[in-house]
Every structure is written in structure tokens, then in C-alpha cells.
Amino acid sequence: IWAGAWRSGITKIIAPIIQYISGILFAQIANPLMSSSYLLTQRIFQVLESFSNITVNAKLPFIAQLRASGKIDAAKKLIVKISLIAYSVLVCGSIIITSMGGMILSFIHSNIMLPGIGVLVLFGFGHMFGRNGGLQLNLSNQANNVIEHIAIIIFSFLYFGILICFYNRLDMWV
């Protein structure tokens, strides 16, 4: 149990740190209006991703039960089904946020506006790839093949490497 627990623990610690550091870094280079816009968008997409994760987490015990009883084909069909549901929630949510987010914020008389469509699309794709990675790692963990600690470390180096390379150009994306 310990071998899998510490690996999952590393991921649960590092993943939010990456999200919070990106917000802190952006707040340092952008004006308060841009920073609030970025942080609001980041939070909206985090909630959307968590919402899409509900289906996956609800069915993981049943998938494990199917796998343990040797019903691999039924498990595969269920994995495809929940993957499609999770991705559909993300795609529909991203489209709603991109197309109607500004209107919703103006309806509630918010002083914050969403960033440009380019940033919203990047957030949508980023969370789609994140959801895909999360799904794959959840299934891998069920097979007692815990590799998420390696994936998050590689992702961290890539993320911060790209951030360092494009640090002077970040403000143009908002």
C-alpha cells in the first residue's frame, strides 16, 4: 500500500501547486484586471473539470469489479462510455463558457470580464488533455501500476520550461 500511496500523494501535492504558481506568476506580470480575469477563468475551468470527473470516479469501483471478475470487454465498453461522457461535459462546458461566459458575467453585473477567445480555447484544450491524462492514470492505478508521480514531474518540468521560455510574451495572450 505504501508504494502506491506515496506516489499518489506526490501527485496530489504537486498538481495544485502548479495551478497556484501559474496564477501567482501571471498576477506578477499582468495588471489587476487581467489577473482577475485569468484567475476567474482558471477557477471556472477547474470546476468544469471536477464536474466532468464525477462520472469517472463514480464508475471506477465498478470497473475494478468487472476487471477482477474477468469481464474485460465489459470494462472496456464502460471505460469508453464514461470517457465520452466526461469529454462531452468538458466540450459542452467549454463551448458554453466561450460563447456565453461574457454575457453571463455582464448579466450579473460583474466587474470582471473573461479573457479573449484564444485564452479560453487554450484553457479548454488544456483541461481536455488534463482530463485525458487523469482518466488514463486512474485506470493505470487500478492495475496497481502507479506512474502518476512520474507523469506529474515530467509535466512540471515541461510546464515551467515553456513558462520560462515565453515569460516575456505571456501578457499578449490575455
Side-chain angles (χ1 to χ4, degrees), residues 112-129:
I112 300 172
M113 297 188 63
L114 291 176
I117 194 158
V119 174
L120 293 174
V121 169
L122 286 173
F123 264 102
F125 279 118
H127 282 275
M128 181 70 80
F129 291 130

Side-chain angles (χ1 to χ4, degrees), residues 2-171:
W2 176 247
W6 76 265
R7 293 173 184 164
S8 292
I10 287 175
T11 303
K12 297 299 180 196
I13 292 170
I14 292 176
I17 288 173
I18 293 171
Q19 289 176 345
Y20 297 133
I21 287 176
S22 69
I24 291 169
L25 290 174
F26 193 81
Q28 298 303 310
I29 64 167
N31 64 44
L33 186 61
M34 286 182 177
S35 296
S36 61
S37 176
Y38 175 82
L39 293 171
L40 175 67
T41 305
Q42 184 182 37
R43 185 64 187 138
I44 288 171
F45 276 93
Q46 286 171 352
V47 169
L48 180 61
E49 186 175 359
S50 295
F51 188 69
S52 73
N53 201 21
I54 291 170
T55 307
V56 175
N57 287 341
K59 293 295 183 179
L60 282 176
F62 187 61
I63 292 170
Q65 184 180 19
L66 288 173
R67 204 182 102 250
S69 64
K71 299 176 183 174
I72 303 299
D73 289 335
K76 287 180 184 178
K77 287 179 184 176
L78 183 58
I79 290 167
V80 169
K81 183 178 176 181
I82 64 171
S83 298
L84 289 175
I85 292 170
Y87 297 142
S88 298
V89 167
L90 273 173
V91 169
C92 290
S94 296
I95 290 171
I96 289 169
I97 292 167
T98 303
S99 62
M100 297 175 41
M103 184 177 63
I104 293 169
L105 288 176
S106 66
F107 178 74
I108 62 171
H109 303 292
S110 174
N111 293 331
I112 300 172
M113 297 188 63
L114 291 176
I117 194 158
V119 174
L120 293 174
V121 169
L122 286 173
F123 264 102
F125 279 118
H127 282 275
M128 181 70 80
F129 291 130
R131 179 68 264 140
N132 182 49
L135 177 65
Q136 301 303 322
L137 291 172
N138 281 341
L139 296 173
S140 173
N141 288 349
Q142 276 195 347
N144 212 14
N145 183 20
V146 181
I147 58 169
E148 62 189 337
H149 65 293
I150 297 169
I152 195 71
I153 291 170
I154 292 170
F155 172 77
S156 299
F157 281 117
L158 287 172
Y159 178 79
F160 287 113
I162 291 169
L163 192 64
I164 289 168
C165 289
F166 293 104
Y167 182 77
N168 293 329
R169 298 172 138 201
L170 285 179
D171 59 345

